[in-house]
Amino acid sequence: MYVTKLEMNSAIEQTAESIELSVNKKLEGYSTTQEMQSAIEMKADSIELKVNNTLKDYSTTTQMNSAITQKTDSITQSVSATYATKTSLESTSKTLTASIELKINKKDLVSELNASADIINLKSNRLIIDSTYFKLSANGNITATSGTIGGFTLGATTFTSNVNGIYDYNPYDANIASLVYFYDISLSSNLRNLYDVNKDGEIDIMDADDMFKIYEGKITNNNKTTGIFKIDTANPKNFISVKNGNDLAVSIGVGGINTYLLGVQNIVCCAINNSVVNKQILISGKDASIRADGEIFSGEGEVQAKPKNLYDNDSGTTGTVTLSENVSNYKYIEIFYKDCNSVVSFVKVYSAQGKEVVLSNVQVFTNAQTKFARTKTVKINASGITTNTYGVHNSWNNSIENKNDIYIYKVVGYK
């Protein structure tokens, strides 16, 4: 069964009207958008009115800030009236002259701290300081790794001070200056500058004379020197040293004394072994050395050493002289002799072995008319001296006697 188009449209319109009527009936209990907006605005006005009524007893932000500022000013005024300011305290401290005394353990008086306006005294027998770089023990031991003590700079292993002052000349300096002039001795640059007293570029007798005059106070000494004095426990060779730049003036260490120049009056060295004192000395230099046994070695020039007695007899002998050592070991020997009247003389003989030597002595009496010439010739062998000929010439009667009146009493050797 079918319906027409017209019938269908009519049926649809009826159905739509029925649905709309049904919906309107369901929405009768709801407000429209306009009605809802109006209701919300009315509610907001009511809330605002209620809040304003509630906060009418509270201050605004501006009112609160003003109240805080007023309170702060009030507190400041109250504190200032009750307490002193920093400036007033410092002023009061400076004018305080009364002493403040603090004592700890008065019964035993273990320690005492006394402070006044400009002095603080600390007394204690148990003071201990223990810091990273400075320590003080109760028994007074101080440990420090750096600092300055009486002009000395303290390091971890060193103790140094600058040397800067007038050089105090003495007669030894004058003698050294003379030796430098006569024997052309080399000196360090610092010593050459010091010994050139008159600053003419040369070290000579005039400088030595000026040194004596300075020593005697006759002229003013303006010659200064500089350097570094150093104690270094980490340097066994130069444990104590004095330097001028790179020039080592002197050092003392495990190896002994090291110096470029040593000027002294006497050197005495003793080695004690099993309670026996043996005098020994050892000096070494560039061109010469002295050994512990007394031997002297020189690269050039003549060295005067203490002579060795090869024969020594106060009475003397006219016969053969026996020597204690071979004369070939010595550079030269000296033969001391006297006549029957104890008139003494000596002769020096270089490279003495195998040589013949004349020993003579002339004696003139007071009337000048009598003169005795006593002579003899001797032969020097390796280990002795023998007599070859002898005689006495008497000028009074012009006679010659065959007498041996020459006595050899000492022979010494020089190396």
Side-chain angles (χ1 to χ4, degrees), residues 93-117:
S93 176
K94 290 180 180 179
T95 59
L96 181 62
T97 58
S99 297
I100 302 169
E101 189 171 294
L102 172 65
K103 293 185 178 180
I104 303 173
N105 196 352
K106 292 183 178 180
K107 181 178 180 181
D108 298 328
L109 199 59
V110 173
S111 62
E112 179 180 330
L113 174 64
N114 181 280
S116 64

Side-chain angles (χ1 to χ4, degrees), residues 276-331:
V276 177
V277 178
N278 301 310
K279 293 184 178 180
Q280 298 180 342
I281 185 170
L282 174 61
I283 301 175
S284 62
K286 180 180 178 182
D287 299 318
S289 64
I290 302 176
R291 293 193 331 197
D293 60 1
E295 296 280 353
I296 298 179
F297 298 90
S298 176
E300 57 181 338
E302 180 176 317
V303 177
Q304 177 66 53
K306 183 179 179 180
K308 177 67 179 292
N309 284 338
L310 304 179
Y311 175 78
D312 191 357
N313 182 353
D314 290 339
S315 298
T317 180
T318 58
T320 299
V321 174
T322 301
L323 303 176
S324 61
E325 291 186 25
N326 195 314
V327 294
S328 61
N329 295 331
Y330 294 88
K331 186 176 183 179

Side-chain angles (χ1 to χ4, degrees), residues 167-387:
Y167 185 83
D168 189 16
Y169 294 103
N170 58 34
Y172 302 120
D173 293 304
N175 291 335
I176 291 171
S178 300
L179 292 173
V180 170
Y181 173 71
F182 286 112
Y183 296 101
D184 193 25
I185 298 174
S186 63
L187 297 176
S188 66
S189 59
N190 183 49
L191 284 176
R192 290 200 67 84
N193 181 61
L194 284 175
Y195 284 177
D196 182 15
V197 180
N198 55 22
K199 304 304 178 188
D200 63 354
E202 299 290 337
I203 299 176
D204 49 31
I205 297 301
M206 299 302 295
D207 294 305
D209 183 59
D210 284 344
M211 290 179 188
F212 274 114
K213 290 179 180 178
I214 290 172
Y215 177 73
E216 294 170 351
K218 295 180 179 179
I219 62 175
T220 302
N221 177 18
N222 296 317
N223 290 326
K224 299 181 68 175
T225 186
T226 60
I228 299 292
F229 172 83
K230 186 176 185 179
I231 298 175
D232 189 352
T233 58
N235 188 348
K237 175 66 175 177
N238 301 311
F239 181 75
I240 301 175
S241 65
V242 178
K243 283 187 175 182
N244 177 272
N246 293 324
D247 291 339
L248 175 66
V250 64
S251 72
I252 301 175
V254 175
I257 300 176
N258 306 282
T259 182
Y260 196 92
L261 186 65
L262 181 62
V264 295
Q265 183 176 14
N266 293 293
I267 300 178
V268 179
C269 301
C270 298
I272 301 177
N273 184 17
N274 296 328
S275 300
V276 177
V277 178
N278 301 310
K279 293 184 178 180
Q280 298 180 342
I281 185 170
L282 174 61
I283 301 175
S284 62
K286 180 180 178 182
D287 299 318
S289 64
I290 302 176
R291 293 193 331 197
D293 60 1
E295 296 280 353
I296 298 179
F297 298 90
S298 176
E300 57 181 338
E302 180 176 317
V303 177
Q304 177 66 53
K306 183 179 179 180
K308 177 67 179 292
N309 284 338
L310 304 179
Y311 175 78
D312 191 357
N313 182 353
D314 290 339
S315 298
T317 180
T318 58
T320 299
V321 174
T322 301
L323 303 176
S324 61
E325 291 186 25
N326 195 314
V327 294
S328 61
N329 295 331
Y330 294 88
K331 186 176 183 179
Y332 64 92
I333 64 171
E334 291 177 340
I335 302 173
F336 295 82
Y337 58 92
K338 60 184 178 179
D339 62 18
C340 57
N341 294 316
S342 296
V343 178
V344 299
S345 186
F346 79 98
V347 62
K348 180 186 291 186
V349 185
Y350 284 86
S351 302
Q353 184 173 347
K355 290 185 175 180
E356 288 190 2
V357 180
V358 176
L359 308 180
S360 64
N361 197 346
V362 177
Q363 185 177 12
V364 179
F365 290 94
T366 55
N367 59 14
Q369 295 180 357
T370 303
K371 179 172 63 177
F372 288 92
R374 299 177 175 86
T375 62
K376 78 173 178 178
T377 60
V378 295
K379 177 70 176 291
I380 303 173
N381 302 310
S383 58
I385 300 175
T386 58
T387 301

